[in-house]
Structures are given as C-alpha cells and as structure tokens.
Amino acid sequence: MPRRKPVNQKPHLLILGGTGDAAAVARAVVAAYGVRIQVTSSLAGRTRAPASLPGSIHIGGFGGPEGLHAWILAQGVDVVIDATHPFAAQISKHAIQAAHAVPVLRLDRPPWTPQSGDDWHSVTDIAAAAALLPSVGRRVFLTVGASELAAFSELENVYFLIRLIDTPETVSAFVDYDIVSARGPFTKVGDLQLMKAHRIDVVVSKNSGGDATVAKLHAARVLGIPVVMIDRPPCDLGCPGRAGVNQAETVQQALFWIKQIVGF
Ligand code: NAP
C-alpha cells in the first residue's frame, strides 16, 4: 500500500537519470522551487565521475522493479521522471512496473533522422553493426559507449577511434585503435577536426537523439562518409504513444508536467 505523506512534507521527485536531459531537469527544478521540493537523481553508476547535480544522488541499481517499488515507498517518492538513455530499456520498463502508485513521466528525445546528403546504414543492434562494418569502412569512429565494445574488438584490418566518457584501464582485444576520452556536448567543428585527423571513413552510433552528441553526424555529412546507425531497442512498456504513458520530448515539457503534478 502506498504510504500516506504528512501534509506538511514537501514533494519528492525521483529522476531516473544518466543523461544530459535528466541533469537539466534536476537543475531546473531546484532552480525553480528550491527547498520546497526534494529532488533525487538516480544514476546507474556507469561513469567514474558523473557530472555534478543538485539535490540528492542515488548511485547503482535498486534491485529490479520490486526494489525500485520498495525504494519509492520507503523514500516517500511522489513523482518519477524517467529521463534515462533511450537504450537503457530495462530501467524504463522497471519504472513503469514499479511506480504504479505514483505518476511517471517518460522524457524521451526523438530519434535522429537522416538528412539530405546522409548515407546511413540502419541496423537493429550492436551485433548487426559489427557484422556490417567491414563492408562499409575500415577507419571507424566508434561511439557506442563502454559496455558494448567487445562486439567490435575482433574485427580484422579495421582501425578504431573509440570515444568514451572515462578512460578505460584496458580495451580488450582491440589491435589497432586510439581512445579519446570526452564528455559531450560536442561541437561540429571539434568532431570534424577529430574525424579528419584520424582519417575516419565510417561512424558507428546508437540513435540516441538530442543535441549533445549529434555533431558527429554533421561531420559525417560534411565528409561524405557513411554512418552505421543502431536503432533503438524495441520497448514493450513505457513506449511513446502508448496509452497511459505520460510522455515528454523536451526538458521544458517535463518541467511543465512536473509543475502540474506537484501543484506549484
Ligand atoms: P538498463 O539495461 O536499462 O539497466 C540495467 C540495470 O541497471 C537496471 O535494471 C538497473 O538495475 C540499473 N540502472 C540503469 N539505469 C539506472 C538508473 N538511472 N538508476 C539506477 N539504476 C539504474 O541500462 P544500462 O545497462 O545502463 O545500459 C543499457 C544501454 O543504455 C547501453 O547501450 C548503454 O550504452 C546505454 N546507456 C545507458 C546509460 C545509463 O545511464 N544507464 C547512459 C548512456 C547510455 P536494477 O534492476 O538493480 O535497479
């Protein structure tokens, strides 16, 4: 049973985060409402030094949907914003399963779409990207995050420029590669220079959407090189357009929704 909150207790907003949009929501809510609202940002704990955030921070998993549900009740959470990465499908599903006692909003930036002049090769997952890659290019700008590098590591006669937030201690099995450690947002000029300097002839990207990491796609267009684009994973709960799922595409829309829900 949901815990009844004392009338004088301030509302508690849980932001499932790990994205720039989640951080922007946390900052904007704290800037707008200050101490009138309690804000907790939750991170999976995948990066060593996450960007600084206002309010409280929870790092690491909750223990499945049951754990998340128990946490929501124990901490008196009133509203959940799921602003996780579009490829983090598991935690989004858990948010819908666990948070039935409180309102949930899914903040999901629209996927990128190819523009005139783009040469995209869309694939369904990482394995398909790795299988296709040698037929598309040999000098690869690999921007899929740290957890899924292994699928590419044994491709032969392929050079990789691997961009990661944290510098890894080891990059298993890659033969010919460089690492660039950087956190977005990235610029068109910066990505163009980087890709030219490394004579990149193909980009591999997840279709994350948003502005922070789109520069590589502009650079690919300018250079006239292909992009292997990994589509978003299918979702069975919390999908855009599904009845009963509160949906926002922008931070501003999410803030408007929060304002309605908490009644400030
Ligand atoms: P996931 O498959 O959705 O989540 C796996 C588990 O990690 C969840 O079940 C949950 O553990 C925990 N978790 C994930 N996000 C959390 C959050 N914000 N707060 C607390 N716990 C969280 O996501 P993933 O394994 O992190 O990543 C899957 C894909 O998303 C990868 O392609 C990755 O590159 C991409 N991605 C993820 C993030 C991120 O911040 N998670 C950021 C950028 C890209 P419990 O079940 O124990 O609660």
Side-chain angles (χ1 to χ4, degrees):
M1 282 287 288
R3 188 170 65 98
R4 185 174 281 279
K5 205 175 190 80
V7 278
N8 61 350
Q9 204 168 322
K10 52 191 173 184
H12 188 179
L13 171 68
L14 172 63
I15 303 171
L16 300 171
T19 60
D21 284 349
V25 171
R27 291 188 191 110
V29 167
V30 170
Y33 306 123
V35 294
R36 289 190 293 152
I37 191 165
Q38 183 183 352
V39 175
T40 302
S41 294
S42 159
L43 307 174
R46 309 278 183 247
T47 53
R48 269 183 239 138
S52 85
L53 291 166
S56 309
I57 301 187
H58 171 98
I59 296 190
F62 294 94
E66 302 79 14
L68 178 56
H69 182 67
W71 199 93
I72 285 169
L73 294 186
Q75 301 300 319
V77 170
D78 300 286
V79 185
V80 175
I81 305 293
D82 170 18
T84 53
H85 190 271
F87 282 72
Q90 194 74 11
I91 189 73
S92 290
K93 184 173 171 179
H94 292 178
I96 298 291
Q97 291 171 323
H100 41 80
V102 297
V104 182
L105 177 79
R106 170 72 184 146
L107 171 53
D108 209 9
R109 30 194 159 133
W112 295 312
T113 52
Q115 310 292 306
S116 169
D118 282 344
D119 177 18
W120 282 20
H121 300 249
S122 293
V123 293
T124 51
D125 55 27
I126 289 278
L132 178 70
L133 196 50
S135 67
V136 183
R138 293 279 163 176
R139 295 191 64 84
V140 181
F141 188 23
L142 187 59
T143 64
V144 297
S147 60
E148 283 161 318
L149 295 176
F152 300 91
S153 64
E154 287 176 16
L155 294 181
E156 291 179 358
N157 304 317
V158 181
Y159 163 82
F160 291 95
L161 176 64
I162 305 170
R163 182 155 68 191
L164 300 168
I165 292 177
D166 292 322
T167 308
E169 276 151 30
T170 56
V171 184
S172 61
F174 280 91
V175 176
D176 188 12
Y177 70 96
D178 287 299
I179 304 277
V180 54
S181 300
R183 187 191 295 273
F186 302 108
T187 65
K188 291 180 198 174
V189 172
D191 275 5
L192 191 57
Q193 281 175 350
L194 182 70
M195 287 158 63
K196 274 184 178 169
H198 291 270
R199 294 181 289 113
I200 295 302
D201 64 11
V202 58
V203 175
V204 180
S205 172
K206 291 176 175 165
N207 197 337
S208 304
D211 297 333
T213 60
V214 75
K216 61 194 167 190
L217 304 181
H218 292 288
R221 195 175 306 132
V222 170
L223 294 171
I225 63 173
V227 175
V228 175
M229 184 62 78
I230 302 160
D231 292 336
R232 293 180 177 191
C235 74
D236 51 359
L237 289 173
C239 308
R242 190 183 166 110
V245 176
N246 301 299
Q247 196 78 23
E249 290 190 348
T250 65
V251 170
Q252 280 312 318
Q253 288 171 3
L255 295 173
F256 182 77
W257 185 83
I258 292 166
K259 191 169 159 44
Q260 309 297 308
I261 294 289
V262 299
F264 290 151

